[in-house]
Amino acid sequence: MWRRGAHSDAAHHLPAAGAGGPTSAAAAGAVRRRRRPGLSCRPSHLFFALLVALFTASLLVVWQLLPIGDGDAAADGEGAPPPPDGGGTMRFSASRMVLRAFDTESRLEAARSARRWWPGLEPVRLALVVGSMNIDAESLMLTTLAKSLVGLRYEVEVLAFTDGKAHDIWKTICHVNVVSFEKLKYVDWSKYNAVLVSSLEGKRVVSILMQEPFRLLPVVWLIHDDAVGQHLRNYPEPHLSVPNHIEDWRAHFNACTNVVFPDSHLPLLYSPLDTGNFLVIPGSPIDIWAAKRYGLSHSQGTIRNQHGIKEEDIVVLVVGSYLFFDELPWDYVTVLRASAPHVMDMARTKKLGVQFIFFCGNGTDAYNSAFQELASHMGFPDDSVKHFPMTHDIGNLLMFVDIVLYGSLRQEPGFPPLLLRSMSSEIPIIAPNLTVITKYVTDGIHAFLFNSDDPSTAASAFMRILGEKGLLDTAYSVALEGKLLSKNMLAYDCIVAHVKLLESVLHYPSDARLPLSFSQVKERTWLWDPFESKAALGNSSSEDERHIHARIAGILLGESAQSNWTIDSDSNDTSSYDYPSQSDWDDLSEVEIFEDIEMREMEEIDERVEKPLLTWDEVYRNARKSERMKPEGNERDEGELERTGQPVCIYEIYRGEGAWPFLHHGSLYRGITLSKGGRRPRSDDVDAVMRLSVLDDAYYRDLLCEFGAMFAIANRIDTVHKLPWIGFQSWRAAGRKVSLSESAEETLEKTMAGENHEDVIYYWVPMYTDQTSNFWSTCDCLNAGHCRTLFEDAFRNMYGLPEGVAALPPMPNDGDYWSTLHSWDVC
């Protein structure tokens, strides 16, 4: 079973200069005659134009200072798209840098409505590729997702590159297989219905899945790491000069069905690689995990001293949306201009020192100066405002702030990740009553909300928090409730969104047992208990982290550039990696250009050198020598010699380079490829497309599948096959470990070399399959009940059997797979 709009801009067509001949000249003359004499532009006209320009500029300034939108307005359809329901997924658009609601029809429900049930159906198999099985947030999310998928009757197999402490947790959920990078090419990916990749190291897997016969397999790549995205920031204009390794990453991303991120910040970093398949599924426990771990490894007092914050000072952290990474925080202005004066008066009345820290934008000098000018217009004293760029560690800021103000009034499609991180850090938050926030948070219980239609009400939220000597007890209790809520607040929605995504990309084969729908998901919380029982939160080795980042660094630029990546073994800061700079890439590009020019010059010089003419004997000898040096022709000759005297040749049908590792070598087997020009090097494989031209048409090639290879051999069979017996076997037989063993091969050859059985059909099947049904029952199950009828008609026509004679051969379900081969003598 192979599975595997245009738009036209409105153009204003203007006549070219000089076109139109006399008619154009007459028209121009008429225009000149209609013009009024006198000055073309009077002083009064200039004054009026100046007034219009000033009025327009004033409107633009007022528009910038007005609220961008609120929950109600956005829901009405004029602003940002309304937030999705539970389990929502956002598609990332590279063209406009926005998130929009994503809702695709479930293929599961379509398959269920047209499905006929048969006994013995295979489950839908999913491969989950992970980098390691460490105790971390990524493993926490993936184990919970895998448990939900298993509960929905999917069959999940985990393929991990390295083992870890979470191995026992994984084993209680699904089958686990630790594979090395060298063994990846021997994995039969065709046995899975979809592949989920959850590691940057999974790029190697995607490389394999980009080849035939795996290209049509749905691949969902879950990106949780920003290593590649941070590297891409070195190239602000990727459309002008893109290094080869970035093009390589873009090709791998493009090969995936979807690339999924846990928040809207990561796709902004990876935007140079976006080809339209980026999605954001919020709700990952990464922020909660990071808050727990950071709090256990850092001291609040130490960090406050490092930033020069007094113990009695109240620090307010102002955060907003990730969607406007490098822009000035215009959406904060409305809230702060309405509330900041009241807060400062309140602080003076209560004799409190209040400082505001803004987490927004970048750290360039131009941005800092623009921000300081903007802050001065908000009414803040110069010494009460600090700015940190979004590249700064948010965990460091959350360790010493007392209040978090979410100042953005923009309606986001998902719960703001910075707000979730603040709640998980047990900090009282002040936020507008946007729909996406009030869906999860209750005012006065989990947070302090103000009216987004009236930003001045944010001042009343501060009054509910600030006391005479600091924060009120109510603020601490609300912060604690917010922390407890944030732990599993988005777990169900996140899991459901991933399941819905799988249902929209999976192709459910006719022989598959359909799983349950996403509506049957039972997990409402993350699997915290087994992970917390490992007592690993805050205790994982920084050495393990450096090894993980070293492996990631090794694949950022490809294996050939691993030597450029160094790690400071005395530092725990992951930012100390020696990333190649732009000058390094410029030097490398110059070297490549120089080598290319030198090679071309040498070729031109070689062409101009005068060479003596050869005799016909010398030309003939050189041609024969060149022919002997060709590996393909030589190997085909050797293959023919090896099969001389053999009773049988089994043709292994394959398609694409991805199947090469599963093919046999030796005189008993010979490959036949369904890909034009896709033969193995140094082999005597048969090109099915060259022998049967109809296979050059993709429609017929996909329709006939592996039967097309059989028809190609049957077409003028004497020109390719000269042995008395012929066999066919799919490359999948070796991949799924159901091919003939050495003892079975010997038995097959001895049987066929013996007495003449005339027309006989041999078949082999593994003995560990279900023995309660015979061959024909199984075949009917796999072919919607038509197998027995089609074979009976075919055999009856082939051998001219009368109506009273049974046309189907008796194929019993007993016998040893490795030593016994069942046959049917038709004569």
Side-chain angles (χ1 to χ4, degrees), residues 129-132 138 161 197-203 221-224 552 555:
V129 181
V130 299
S132 64
E138 187 175 342
F161 298 137
V197 181
S198 181
S199 169
L200 289 179
E201 298 165 292
K203 180 171 182 273
W221 199 347
L222 311 177
I223 303 294
H224 302 275
I552 294 174
I555 63 173

Side-chain angles (χ1 to χ4, degrees), residues 482-726:
K483 177 183 178 180
L484 298 176
L485 173 68
S486 66
K487 190 173 184 179
N488 297 298
M489 183 176 71
L490 303 177
Y492 177 77
D493 289 352
C494 181
I495 295 169
V496 167
H498 281 88
V499 176
K500 290 175 67 176
L501 176 61
L502 284 175
E503 291 183 5
S504 67
V505 302
L506 268 169
H507 297 270
Y508 295 93
S510 59
D511 60 335
R513 184 184 69 226
L514 295 180
L516 299 177
S517 172
F518 70 89
S519 59
Q520 303 296 319
V521 171
K522 296 181 179 179
E523 275 66 33
R524 300 277 175 171
T525 62
W526 303 112
L527 298 179
W528 290 105
D529 291 343
F531 280 86
E532 291 179 337
S533 66
K534 294 284 185 178
L537 287 177
N539 298 325
S540 63
S541 173
S542 59
E543 187 70 25
D544 292 339
E545 284 189 1
R546 290 199 295 273
H547 286 314
I548 293 172
H549 283 274
R551 292 198 305 272
I552 294 174
I555 63 173
L556 288 178
L557 307 179
E559 271 57 47
S560 61
Q562 282 191 23
S563 59
N564 292 338
W565 300 80
T566 59
I567 300 176
D568 183 5
S569 59
D570 298 328
S571 174
N572 293 336
D573 187 5
T574 58
S575 64
S576 61
Y577 301 124
D578 184 16
Y579 291 91
S581 63
Q582 180 64 47
S583 61
D584 296 332
W585 291 113
D586 294 339
D587 294 340
L588 178 61
S589 178
E590 290 178 2
V591 171
E592 291 176 348
I593 294 174
F594 176 77
E595 291 177 350
D596 183 63
I597 294 174
E598 188 178 22
M599 183 185 65
R600 291 174 182 268
E601 290 177 350
M602 293 299 295
E603 291 177 353
E604 292 177 359
I605 293 173
D606 188 58
E607 290 176 357
R608 295 172 184 175
V609 172
E610 221 178 287
K611 298 179 181 178
L613 296 176
L614 301 177
T615 63
W616 282 110
D617 291 339
E618 290 174 329
V619 172
Y620 178 74
R621 282 196 300 269
N622 290 340
R624 290 293 303 271
K625 182 179 179 181
S626 176
E627 194 68 29
R628 286 195 299 271
M629 293 295 292
K630 291 182 179 179
E632 288 81 2
N634 190 34
E635 288 295 330
R636 278 194 286 273
D637 293 340
E638 291 180 3
E640 292 292 341
L641 290 174
E642 288 179 0
R643 279 187 289 274
T644 301
Q646 292 273 356
V648 62
C649 175
I650 299 176
Y651 291 88
E652 288 192 294
I653 308 169
Y654 70 95
R655 181 177 180 177
E657 187 176 345
W660 288 358
F662 304 98
L663 302 178
H664 290 81
H665 300 275
S667 60
L668 180 61
Y669 296 94
R670 187 178 185 183
I672 176 170
T673 175
L674 289 168
S675 301
K676 188 175 183 179
R679 292 181 298 191
R680 292 174 291 174
R682 300 187 61 82
S683 71
D684 65 332
D685 293 352
V686 179
D687 192 326
V689 180
M690 296 295 292
R691 292 191 55 83
L692 192 63
S693 59
V694 71
L695 296 178
D696 200 16
D697 190 320
Y699 171 78
Y700 292 105
R701 185 170 61 245
D702 295 339
L703 181 67
L704 294 174
C705 299
E706 295 185 346
F707 288 105
M710 301 181 188
F711 295 151
I713 295 295
N715 185 31
R716 305 187 310 276
I717 188 172
D718 292 337
T719 62
V720 67
H721 183 81
K722 301 177 182 179
L723 303 181
W725 292 88
I726 186 171

